[in-house]
Amino acid sequence: MRIKERVSVISLFVCYIFTNLLFYNVIYRDYVNRNIFFITGFLFITEMAFWIFIFSLIRREERLKSSNINPILIPFLIGVGGTGVGRVLLNSSLYLNDLLTVSTPFIYFIGIIRILFIFSAFSFFFLALDTRNILLTVISCLNIVVSILIWLDFDTNISSAVRILMGLLGILYIVLLKERTIYQEEKNEKNSV
């Protein structure tokens, strides 16, 4: 991974931490619904990008085959995306929240997405164990905690604080990424061209 790529990924992870800090403050401040919509929408976008980059970094590990990642990646992103959309819809407007919570099919849909998120978080844990990287394993353990908190409907400041810690560990992972892996990638890029 080149320096430009590292800086761009670290800046994305900083945006992920920043949006979680904003979401953390939603409980303590009386924001207008429009601001809550933008905060949760931006959190949804940065969370999806965070996990896409984490999975792309795992895909670069030489010990793993990409065929092991694909069955985990798609349900995981569906779970993260579904919980993000649910967060945007349920937090942005009290009227919309009341309409959605009286709809039984929507309640089942949100529940199924949250169960999928828990299942895929455990799958990601076993994938992180295969990488033999302690930071990815800790990130996956914290993700299991976040998915259980979301399932228990505690998607508030507690889960936001855990996601901030995950973002900090992601930055640490990027900073401590082995130079051997970087040189190996550059050799592979030169050989493929």
Side-chain angles (χ1 to χ4, degrees):
M1 181 180 277
R2 296 183 187 129
I3 298 296
K4 290 180 187 178
E5 292 173 349
R6 280 187 184 212
V7 170
S8 62
V9 170
I10 288 174
S11 62
L12 173 83
F13 287 5
V14 168
C15 285
Y16 178 67
I17 293 170
F18 177 69
T19 55
N20 277 299
L21 284 172
L22 285 174
F23 188 67
Y24 182 84
N25 288 329
V26 164
I27 301 217
Y28 301 114
R29 297 193 180 164
D30 192 20
Y31 285 118
V32 182
N33 289 341
R34 181 178 52 108
N35 289 353
I36 295 173
F37 176 77
F38 287 126
I39 289 170
T40 54
F42 193 54
L43 178 61
F44 167 68
I45 293 168
T46 57
E47 190 169 23
M48 290 294 288
F50 175 80
W51 287 112
I52 288 171
F53 276 106
I54 289 288
F55 273 101
S56 69
L57 292 172
I58 290 174
R59 187 171 284 179
R60 292 182 180 186
E61 290 281 332
E62 65 232 19
R63 287 184 227 109
L64 297 176
K65 297 178 185 175
S66 65
S67 61
N68 293 342
I69 295 174
N70 291 335
I72 298 171
L73 174 66
I74 294 170
F76 188 85
L77 290 180
I78 290 171
V80 170
T83 53
V85 168
R87 182 184 302 123
V88 170
L89 292 176
L90 294 174
N91 290 333
S92 63
S93 171
L94 294 176
Y95 176 71
L96 191 59
N97 186 359
D98 290 340
L99 284 177
L100 295 175
T101 53
V102 297
S103 171
T104 305
F106 185 74
I107 293 171
Y108 284 130
F109 177 72
I110 292 292
I112 289 170
I113 291 294
R114 289 178 178 182
I115 293 294
L116 178 67
F117 186 41
I118 291 173
F119 171 73
S120 58
F122 278 104
S123 300
F124 176 66
F125 172 73
F126 292 116
L127 181 70
L129 283 178
D130 287 343
T131 63
R132 297 185 186 128
N133 188 321
I134 189 70
L135 289 174
L136 286 177
T137 306
V138 172
I139 288 172
S140 66
C141 289
L142 291 175
N143 188 41
I144 290 172
V145 171
V146 167
S147 66
I148 291 172
L149 286 172
I150 289 173
W151 181 66
L152 294 173
D153 213 15
F154 288 117
D155 192 15
T156 56
N157 54 0
I158 299 168
S159 64
S160 185
V162 174
R163 284 192 301 263
I164 290 168
L165 184 59
M166 286 170 35
L168 291 173
L169 289 174
I171 290 174
L172 188 62
Y173 174 71
I174 297 297
V175 169
L176 297 177
L177 195 62
K178 294 180 183 175
E179 294 297 324
R180 180 181 53 82
T181 307
I182 296 169
Y183 294 131
Q184 184 76 16
E185 288 175 9
E186 290 177 357
K187 285 181 185 178
N188 291 341
E189 288 176 5
K190 287 178 184 177
N191 291 338
S192 65
V193 175

